[in-house]
Amino acid sequence: MTETSTDGTGQQYIGGKRRSGTSREQVSVINPSNGDVLATDTLASADDVDEAVAAARDAFTGWSRTSPAERSEAMLRWADNLQQRAEELAAVESSNGGKPIKLARGFDIPGVIDNVRFFAGAARNLEGKSAGEYSPEHTSTIRREPLGVVGSIAPWNYPLQMAAWKVLPAVAAGNTVVLKPSELTPLTSVMFAEAATEAGIPDGVINIVTGTGSTAGSALVGHPDVAMVSFTGSTAVGRQVAATAAGQVKRVHLELGGKAPFVVFDDADLEAAARGAVAGALINSGQDCTAATRAYVQRPRYEAFVDRVRELMEGVRLGPVDDPATDMGSLISRRQRDRVAGMVDRARQDGATIVCGGYNPEGTPAEGAYYAPTLITDAAQDSEIVQQEIFGPVLVCLPYDTDDDAIRLANDTPYGLAASAWTGNVFRSQRAGRDIQAGCVWINDHIPIISEMPHGGYKASGFGKDMSAYSFDDYTNVKHVMSDITGDQQKSWHDLVFTGR
Ligand code: NAD
């Protein structure tokens, strides 16, 4: 399948038009589950970024002055358009991401459509303090204003969902956007922007520049006309983005890496916890910033939990991503698979036990970047495999003794994006919700997200919220307009400075 190519259609979407980039860098967009080339295109140059930012700046005045109802109606039409294209979007997302078609159909695409509908409603519900006379001589009004051009940068793991999380709160609040998707996975982001145009969202409100981080990404982050940078990706790149933004005193929103703990107390429903761990660790081949990566199991239940997780992992079906029976697809690239394999090999050399997996599975396409579901025990808490983000289908399982140990171990990494606690005890669950340092703590589940509720990190997982009305705090400025209501020429407070006659 050739989605778009060097025939002039291209992976840039600037000012409502699709075209190729003007850099010297070519990219082949691959289906990583079988190596097929889906599209070949020239990537964005810094000039393309300039053009996209100019288009967004030109569109800003008009878009920011549309009424919330107009923005909302356009976004509802956008959602309808995406709904009509849902099957096509799912097929492209599945092949470009190497993810099973059932995940794209059941999670990625419906999640995005629901997000568009949520933000269509939220556009009409921007909130602030009520206007009033906080001083008896003035009326104070709060305005929530869009910032201008938002530069958004997204990763490859959930290409369309990440594009949606970046773009939707920004445009619902009246900003315009230049989004840089990962150059590995641009296809659905461009389709998303095209659908917005078809729904009547004006040219220039949503622009896509597909390019590398070092060229297009850094040009976007450093662009003087970009008012805010919204970044989702690794903590290492997030640090560089924050440093550039700090130099320009530019607002920044960072959704970074994760290393989610999965805490199983001794009173937990063990079967529910084992199933939750397998689903939570293997979703999207483990390439999920909230994936369950470290299971801490209270000692009396530890061996039974490990046995059951191994059994369930061994039953997971790897296969072609377009087969509806496939449970798990490939990783995003062979490079990523080699990175995961390297971390597992180093853990083995350091004395960890590979209970299952830890190899490139047979029976999957030779050109595919598959890696078997992998369960690891006997790793040290301070080892790389426990402390660093793996971003692959790998779960480490470790025992603990007391409830305090569980919380201490859960919090013992630099990250704080998500976590779960498994228990039938209401007091334990409430304490876990309070004490685990993460932006989301699930109780007796792991992974579900919902448009109305925020997603965002603590610690090295970043700051700022995606989804939910909380995201408007990032994408709007709060302005205070204070109006004198006395009409006096000599205000009462002037006496503090001069009593002039
Ligand atoms: P990455 O940090 O390598 O790249 C993310 C994006 O940044 C890409 O578009 C890349 O081209 C761009 N980029 C790279 N260098 C840049 C630079 N110097 N300036 C500007 N942009 C630059 O991450 P990745 O490998 O694409 O994605 C995986 C990472 O994303 C994982 O760490 C994962 O945890 C994280 N992630 C976080 C969330 C969240 O919500 N917190 C969600 C999804 C993924």
Side-chain angles (χ1 to χ4, degrees):
M1 181 183 74
T2 300
E3 184 57 32
T4 57
S5 66
T6 45
D7 62 3
T9 45
Q11 297 303 324
Q12 318 300 327
Y13 195 76
I14 300 175
K17 291 185 187 55
R18 190 167 180 151
R19 66 165 173 77
S20 294
T22 63
S23 74
R24 297 212 173 121
E25 300 161 291
Q26 280 263 325
V27 74
S28 288
V29 179
I30 305 283
N31 176 339
S33 71
N34 58 18
D36 283 358
V37 175
L38 302 174
T40 303
D41 198 25
T42 313
L43 292 173
S45 63
D47 289 345
D48 296 322
V49 172
D50 277 349
E51 202 181 308
V53 172
R57 200 187 50 215
D58 290 349
F60 176 68
T61 305
W63 182 247
S64 62
R65 292 190 182 162
T66 52
S67 68
E70 282 174 88
R71 291 202 291 278
S72 177
E73 280 161 20
M75 292 179 78
L76 288 170
R77 289 193 299 272
W78 187 11
D80 289 345
N81 184 307
L82 294 166
Q83 187 72 60
Q84 281 157 17
R85 303 174 78 175
E87 190 50 36
E88 185 195 353
L89 284 163
V92 175
E93 196 74 331
S94 162
S95 58
N96 193 184
K99 62 178 82 198
I101 187 69
K102 69 175 176 181
L103 186 66
R105 278 187 188 137
F107 182 58
D108 295 80
I109 309 306
V112 165
I113 295 169
D114 187 64
N115 250 265
V116 181
R117 292 197 204 288
F118 170 78
F119 278 106
R124 304 180 74 164
N125 280 294
L126 283 172
E127 289 185 351
K129 212 172 164 80
S130 63
E133 289 66 51
Y134 297 90
S135 131
E137 292 156 359
H138 303 89
T139 296
S140 284
T141 314
I142 288 294
R143 296 174 57 84
R144 247 180 202 271
E145 298 186 338
L147 306 167
V149 177
V150 176
S152 296
I153 297 183
W156 44 255
N157 60 337
Y158 292 106
L160 187 57
Q161 290 203 75
M162 294 304 102
W165 290 12
K166 305 276 92 181
V167 168
L168 294 172
V171 300
N175 300 284
T176 57
V177 176
V178 177
L179 169 77
K180 193 204 84 64
S182 165
E183 69 275 24
L184 302 178
T185 53
L187 304 181
T188 49
S189 296
V190 179
M191 293 166 74
F192 187 56
E194 272 181 337
T197 303
E198 285 169 24
I201 294 180
D203 292 351
V205 172
I206 300 165
N207 306 276
I208 310 289
V209 287
T210 298
T212 60
S214 53
T215 301
S218 54
L220 186 57
V221 173
H223 202 293
D225 291 338
V226 168
M228 166 187 177
V229 176
S230 173
F231 173 83
T232 299
S234 62
T235 298
V237 176
R239 275 197 191 98
Q240 293 172 32
V241 167
T244 307
Q248 301 180 352
V249 197
K250 188 176 279 187
R251 189 181 290 204
V252 69
H253 164 118
L254 298 174
E255 297 286 354
L256 308 177
K259 188 75 188 172
F262 184 103
V263 176
V264 183
F265 290 97
D266 57 10
D267 61 68
D269 176 336
L270 202 77
E271 181 64 18
R275 288 172 179 271
V278 172
L282 302 187
I283 186 167
N284 209 36
S285 300
Q287 301 164 122
D288 182 310
C289 50
T290 64
T293 58
R294 301 176 285 141
Y296 297 105
V297 185
Q298 213 152 13
R299 207 170 294 275
R301 314 296 295 282
Y302 178 69
E303 278 180 23
F305 180 85
V306 170
D307 283 350
R308 186 61 181 137
V309 168
R310 178 189 49 75
E311 220 168 56
L312 289 168
M313 278 190 170
E314 286 174 350
V316 168
R317 289 167 300 192
L318 276 64
V321 293
D322 58 359
D323 180 347
T326 292
D327 291 325
M328 205 179 97
S330 69
L331 301 191
I332 193 64
S333 63
R334 289 201 273 176
R335 183 163 165 243
Q336 179 67 7
R337 183 189 57 191
D338 294 346
R339 200 184 144 266
V340 171
M343 289 181 86
V344 172
D345 287 346
R346 286 193 292 280
R348 188 192 281 117
Q349 284 155 20
D350 286 350
T353 304
I354 314 302
V355 179
C356 67
Y359 57 89
N360 305 332
E362 287 166 16
T364 52
E367 294 302 309
Y370 287 85
Y371 194 75
T374 298
L375 179 62
I376 298 182
T377 57
D378 304 318
Q381 174 64 22
D382 62 359
S383 62
E384 176 191 58
I385 203 88
V386 177
Q387 292 291 322
Q388 300 298 320
E389 191 173 41
I390 305 170
F391 238 50
V394 179
L395 178 69
V396 181
C397 194
L398 300 173
Y400 71 89
D401 292 305
T402 67
D403 287 21
D404 285 349
D405 290 342
I407 301 299
R408 180 178 52 76
L409 291 165
N411 288 334
D412 179 33
T413 73
Y415 299 105
L417 189 58
S420 64
W422 296 74
T423 174
N425 179 308
V426 66
F427 308 111
R428 274 176 155 167
S429 68
Q430 292 287 340
R431 281 200 299 270
R434 182 192 63 188
D435 293 341
I436 297 180
Q437 296 157 358
C440 172
V441 179
W442 289 283
I443 306 295
N444 294 323
D445 208 343
H446 195 112
I447 289 296
I449 48 174
I450 197 78
S451 300
E452 288 82 353
M453 288 292 143
H455 167 95
Y458 277 34
K459 301 179 0 188
S461 294
F463 45 78
K465 298 296 176 198
D466 282 330
M467 302 197 294
S468 82
Y470 291 98
S471 60
F472 286 137
D473 292 342
D474 293 326
Y475 292 96
T476 54
N477 258 329
V478 172
K479 181 189 277 179
H480 174 204
V481 178
M482 193 173 196
S483 310
D484 170 71
I485 55 171
T486 64
D488 293 345
Q489 291 180 324
Q490 177 79 5
K491 316 286 184 201
S492 64
W493 71 271
H494 287 179
D495 290 349
L496 300 173
V497 185
F498 74 113
T499 51
R501 280 166 283 151

